[in-house]
Amino acid sequence: MSVHLVNPSDNAFGTAVITPRWLFVLAAATPRTAGDPILVDESIEQIDPASIQPGDIVGISVHTGNALRGYEVGRLAHERGAFVIYGGIHATLFPEEAFERGHAHAVVKGDGDIAWGQVVTDILSGATLQKIYDGGRIEGSQFLAARWDLMPRDKYMWASVQTIRGCPKHCSFCSVWRTDGQKPRQRQFQSVIDEIVNLRRIGFRFIALADDNFYPVTLTDLRLAREQNNTAKLEELTAIRKERFQLMAELAKLPRDMVFFTQITMEAGEDGECLDAMRKANIKGALVGVEAVTPEGLKAVFKDFNYSGEALARQLQTFKQHGVHVLGSFIFGLPTDKPSTFDATVDMALKAGVTFAQFVMMTPFPGTVDFARWEKEQSVAPTLVGDVPITRYWLIPTATRPKMFTPHPTMSSGEISERTQKVWDRFYNWSAIWQRSACTPNLRARVAFMFLSKLYRQMYAGTGISTDSARRKKSKSWARWTARQCRKLFQAAPMPELQSPIWELEFASPGRRPAFLPNSPAPSPFTITSN
Ligand code: B12
Ligand code: SF4
């Protein structure tokens, strides 16, 4: 009997940019008695059905974008006689769909760090399998460290390490605050550092901090708690902030060639102390959700804590002045958008000096306020594509899936798509990239920057931005080639001698830590428990 964990994807590039963290966390959550799981990341290569034997356990993660492929994988695993288990955000929100479409035996809702072990144990012991396992929201101290020893090291450019889950905000297009909660759940910084040390030892120096919001406590939050004389709140917020700074202080002690990237709200731009700590910690870049450049646009997405106009440009420039590069994320297709919004947005992105930018089309993701509103509107006179209601767009085959799902009051989806394409082309033309690449320290890094910019732009072509399939096909083969070259640029010499700090703290819930590099000289600070 083998355990397989599958990250479904329609697009295999042979090389992937960022490791899908869930795969390696669930590998750590797999009971030792089941042996090492077989990990399949279909963004690298699709699964070989013949590898699945009767009685095997197949765990599949689905988010909305890959649900259709996930169900296909589930059906073929079921046909081969395997136990099929789903998890991930989409399965959490639509468990019944995994049974109807994906031949599930069981679904894990919420966090899998603990629940997955229970599922596998139940199967191994022949116990009756529950239909739903509710993993809920575990505490930060219970987050498992990933099993990077099972990662094919030559296939990924960046590893991903999570330091916090949940976000106190409530943006209308985002499901994080509803699924992961508004209470930030911080992982003990010692456990984070330990995992990063392990990654550097095996040759990874680029690490994405797979956090919803790296900056969960703003200066405004602290001021309000103080003004309201809310001592309990103030203490809680101060403790969260202190832990963030402790993490950054430890990151700063790691080898100087390490590069971290995270996701953060724009409010961090007001907090020079935080930005300086980030720079010292080698957090060289952050995705900042700018979303819209007008006050009306920001109001439409419940993000009025963001700035617009000149103040926005200044706020984003502040990040750069403190040595933190910004990947600005902008949304097109908001009801408040006009034809002039597209040029205004790219002008702002260029003026604010963001190092990278992404321009995504408004998509009502399940679990969001936008989705609930849309579903309610659609319940009156449902729009169908074939026999699928548009509110279940992820079930529409990709070839016939519309580019936009919610109608815009004044522009057609074709117009929005075309204008968005032009914005990408303008931001990522060679001359603009060349100018931005001046931020790099040497020629090698400059070349890497240029390739990465083009790769970033090109990889989006497969996700609905590009309009015709011929262009998509060409983009894909170009992206495959470039991804291979880029990966070489991200490689680093392993540092097996690198030591983990010895922590005084006993972890409240020690992660089962994989035996990384068996002959490694660095002792594990974790207590290794067996199942
Ligand atoms: C880091 C991140 C990224 C990174 C890295 C992606 C990568 N390669 O890993 C980047 C920036 C590239 C990215 C891109 C995108 N992302 Co993203 N991303 C995240 C983020 C912040 C964290 C994901 C993560 O690694 N978490 C750490 C792991 C350990 O947690 P986890 O994945 O939730 O898995 C746990 C449980 O879900 C469960 N579980 C998961 N799978 C399984 C499977 C089984 C069998 C079981 C039992 C349990 C289980 O157990 C795990 C451990 O507890 C999430 C937010 C979130 N809170 O999930 C958004 C999120 C997943 N992303 C989202 C979106 C929309 C996107 C994009 C489409 C954005 C865009 N418009 O381009 C792209 C799509 C990329 C793609 N094709 O997959 C949405 C998905 C919404 C949805 N309903 O599907 C999320 C939820 C954020 C949001 N705003 O709502 N993303
Ligand atoms: S978009 Fe960002 S800031 Fe808004 S709720 Fe989601 S994670 Fe939080």
Side-chain angles (χ1 to χ4, degrees):
M1 188 287 304
S2 303
V3 174
H4 307 251
L5 292 169
V6 188
N7 190 45
S9 175
D10 285 318
N11 290 320
F13 287 105
T15 311
V17 180
I18 304 178
T19 50
R21 181 165 174 81
W22 81 270
L23 205 54
F24 306 96
V25 167
L26 273 248
T30 306
R32 290 279 150 91
T33 44
D36 284 348
I38 299 163
L39 308 186
V40 183
D41 180 359
E42 291 203 311
S43 62
I44 294 174
E45 206 169 297
Q46 290 213 321
I47 190 166
D48 173 9
S51 64
I52 302 170
Q53 302 303 321
D56 283 359
I57 302 171
V58 179
I60 304 166
S61 181
V62 281
H63 58 78
T64 302
N66 69 2
L68 203 54
R69 171 64 190 159
Y71 299 148
E72 203 177 318
V73 172
R75 288 196 299 273
L76 68 86
H78 192 273
E79 268 166 35
R80 306 265 321 159
F83 290 95
V84 179
I85 320 293
Y86 287 86
I89 180 156
H90 194 81
T92 299
L93 293 165
F94 295 99
E96 72 292 347
E97 208 177 85
F99 290 100
E100 286 159 19
R101 305 258 175 175
H103 291 186
H105 288 93
V107 169
V108 173
K109 290 170 68 173
D111 295 335
D113 308 54
I114 296 169
W116 175 243
Q118 187 58 51
V119 177
V120 176
T121 307
D122 282 355
I123 295 175
L124 294 181
S125 66
T128 314
L129 211 53
Q130 298 168 34
K131 270 189 90 169
I132 303 286
Y133 288 77
D134 198 345
R137 292 177 195 155
I138 58 170
E139 288 302 319
S141 58
Q142 296 174 301
F143 293 1
L144 288 184
R147 276 202 64 180
W148 296 119
D149 58 320
L150 297 180
M151 167 178 54
R153 289 167 207 172
D154 57 342
K155 299 290 182 197
Y156 294 99
M157 298 180 210
W158 291 63
S160 49
V161 174
Q162 194 172 40
T163 76
I164 193 164
R165 281 186 207 169
C167 175
K169 305 297 185 194
H170 55 269
C171 305
S172 71
F173 56 87
C174 176
S175 56
V176 160
W177 58 283
R178 298 178 120 202
T179 52
D180 273 350
Q182 290 184 288
K183 178 176 168 270
R185 291 173 288 148
Q186 292 200 90
R187 190 170 156 203
Q188 283 148 308
F189 70 85
Q190 297 90 336
S191 153
V192 174
I193 296 293
D194 211 39
E195 198 179 327
I196 292 172
V197 166
N198 272 331
L199 281 163
R200 185 63 194 88
R201 285 162 72 190
I202 59 171
F204 273 85
R205 68 183 189 96
F206 287 86
I207 292 172
L209 302 177
D211 299 329
D212 301 318
N213 178 0
F214 188 81
Y215 183 68
V217 175
T218 66
L219 294 181
T220 309
D221 296 334
L222 290 167
R223 180 175 52 77
L224 288 176
R226 239 178 261 121
E227 283 171 8
Q228 290 158 2
N229 284 327
N230 190 340
T231 321
K233 185 80 191 162
L234 188 60
E235 275 172 13
E236 185 198 327
L237 296 176
T238 310
I240 296 173
R241 183 176 164 89
K242 189 174 161 212
E243 176 102 17
R244 293 277 86 187
F245 277 83
Q246 279 174 313
L247 170 65
M248 290 190 274
E250 291 297 331
L251 288 175
K253 294 179 196 160
L254 295 174
R256 297 310 296 161
D257 69 351
M258 299 212 67
V259 175
F260 301 98
F261 176 85
T262 191
Q263 315 202 81
I264 208 163
T265 57
M266 197 184 289
E267 293 150 306
E270 294 153 3
D271 192 340
E273 196 186 349
C274 177
L275 292 179
D276 287 340
M278 285 172 72
R279 187 193 63 244
K280 286 184 195 143
N282 277 323
I283 304 177
K284 300 233 159 111
L287 183 149
V288 176
V290 182
E291 329 302 0
V293 298
T294 61
E296 313 83 76
L298 293 171
K299 201 156 177 234
V301 295
F302 301 176
K303 206 151 184 168
D304 20 28
F305 57 86
N306 266 8
Y307 288 109
S308 56
E310 283 304 314
L312 166 60
R314 269 200 311 278
Q315 186 86 334
L316 294 176
Q317 283 157 2
T318 314
F319 281 83
K320 208 167 172 183
Q321 283 152 12
H322 285 265
V324 179
H325 291 276
V326 170
L327 188 172
S329 183
F330 301 84
I331 304 179
F332 285 133
L334 300 175
T336 48
D337 284 354
K338 304 184 200 74
S340 59
T341 309
F342 296 84
D343 270 345
T345 304
V346 73
D347 287 345
M348 174 58 77
L350 293 167
K351 183 175 175 183
V354 299
T355 312
F356 289 91
Q358 63 178 28
F359 307 95
V360 300
M361 306 265 275
M362 170 66 198
T363 306
F365 280 108
T368 63
V369 169
D370 287 344
F371 186 87
R373 192 191 304 134
W374 179 50
E375 206 177 26
K376 200 165 162 208
E377 283 160 16
Q378 278 286 318
S379 65
V380 185
T383 309
L384 296 176
V385 180
D387 57 354
V388 183
I390 187 100
T391 52
R392 296 294 176 270
Y393 56 86
W394 53 89
L395 299 175
I396 303 168
T398 23
T400 50
R401 199 178 293 171
K403 298 261 176 280
M404 274 195 76
F405 310 113
T406 43
H408 188 270
T410 57
M411 286 180 281
S412 72
S413 64
E415 181 180 355
I416 294 173
S417 174
E418 209 175 293
R419 288 184 184 278
T420 304
Q421 181 79 43
K422 285 199 180 124
V423 165
W424 276 92
D425 288 343
R426 210 179 129 199
F427 188 83
Y428 286 100
N429 74 42
W430 282 111
S431 124
I433 298 176
W434 175 250
Q435 278 175 34
R436 287 195 292 274
S437 69
C439 64
T440 54
N442 54 45
L443 189 63
R444 187 171 192 264
R446 200 160 184 174
V447 171
F449 181 95
M450 307 242 344
F451 267 106
L452 194 71
S453 297
K454 278 290 179 187
L455 177 70
Y456 190 74
R457 189 255 167 278
Q458 219 59 23
M459 275 191 158
Y460 262 88
T463 61
I465 301 288
S466 178
T467 36
D468 67 277
S469 65
R471 181 170 174 155
R472 221 171 12 238
K473 208 167 156 210
K474 202 168 146 224
S475 295
K476 259 197 209 168
S477 39
W478 192 91
R480 266 183 101 89
W481 181 85
T482 315
R484 270 201 310 275
Q485 311 314 313
C486 278
R487 202 197 57 75
K488 288 182 207 152
L489 294 164
F490 286 107
Q491 263 171 337
M495 295 178 78
E497 73 292 348
L498 192 64
Q499 297 286 320
S500 270
I502 303 294
W503 310 112
E504 283 170 19
L505 179 99
E506 275 293 317
F507 291 107
S509 172
R512 271 165 297 120
R513 193 176 186 214
F516 250 93
L517 303 172
N519 298 324
S520 106
S524 164
F526 279 93
T527 315
I528 298 179
T529 58
S530 58
N531 298 86

